[in-house]
Amino acid sequence: MRSRIGFYLAFSLTLMSLNVYAEYKTSGQMSQEEYQKVRESSAEYNECLNQFAIDQLQLQADARIITDHAMKECAIHLESLYEFLISENYAPEAMKRFVSSISNKSANKLLSNVMRFKAAQSQ
């Protein structure tokens, strides 16, 4: 009985260790094509954010709401980037943080620009 439990325990630990030691590429290993995809997706996301914000400036008074809706509307660009990076064997959690940082930087810049525009418009 004990040998059976020991066998199952060893077998399950072996299976778990295979998952833990998966070989993922790091961002330092990105090829030029992958960097190009990141740049293109970032540019498409920023363009989408800006276009959505421009369309909403006259309809919505709150810059935060404009930015929030723009992020939701344009998330598809970053989702496709995330899926691409995962398919290229990058660690999912690391790529989630990477894509999130792109989103946060773009949203902060958009919010700043919308607030600046609203302030200039009210003068």
Side-chain angles (χ1 to χ4, degrees):
M1 181 71 172
R2 284 183 179 227
S3 64
R4 223 177 190 186
I5 293 173
F7 172 75
Y8 287 124
L9 181 62
F11 181 73
S12 58
L13 288 174
T14 302
L15 284 178
M16 285 190 282
S17 69
L18 291 176
N19 190 25
V20 171
Y21 295 109
E23 296 274 338
Y24 290 117
K25 295 184 340 188
T26 64
S27 59
Q29 297 172 316
M30 275 192 186
S31 67
Q32 287 294 357
E33 293 81 23
E34 292 165 340
Y35 273 122
Q36 183 65 28
K37 176 69 174 169
V38 169
R39 286 190 295 266
E40 288 172 359
S41 295
S42 296
E44 289 171 359
Y45 181 67
N46 286 326
E47 183 178 329
C48 180
L49 288 177
N50 290 329
Q51 186 59 50
F52 186 86
I54 288 169
D55 294 343
Q56 294 296 309
L57 282 171
Q58 301 305 322
L59 304 174
Q60 180 58 249
D62 191 342
R64 295 169 299 174
I65 293 174
I66 292 173
T67 303
D68 185 50
H69 286 283
M71 289 174 64
K72 289 176 185 169
E73 185 74 23
C74 301
I76 186 105
H77 297 288
L78 295 183
E79 289 169 3
S80 66
L81 173 62
Y82 175 78
E83 293 300 324
F84 169 76
L85 293 171
I86 297 304
S87 72
E88 294 296 317
N89 200 31
Y90 289 95
E93 201 54 42
M95 292 304 102
K96 187 181 289 187
R97 288 189 306 268
F98 178 68
V99 169
S100 181
S101 73
I102 293 171
S103 174
N104 290 341
K105 288 176 187 177
S106 297
N108 287 336
K109 186 174 181 179
L110 177 67
L111 181 60
S112 173
N113 289 340
V114 171
M115 289 174 71
R116 195 175 308 124
F117 179 81
K118 288 288 189 180
Q121 193 178 34
S122 66
Q123 290 177 353

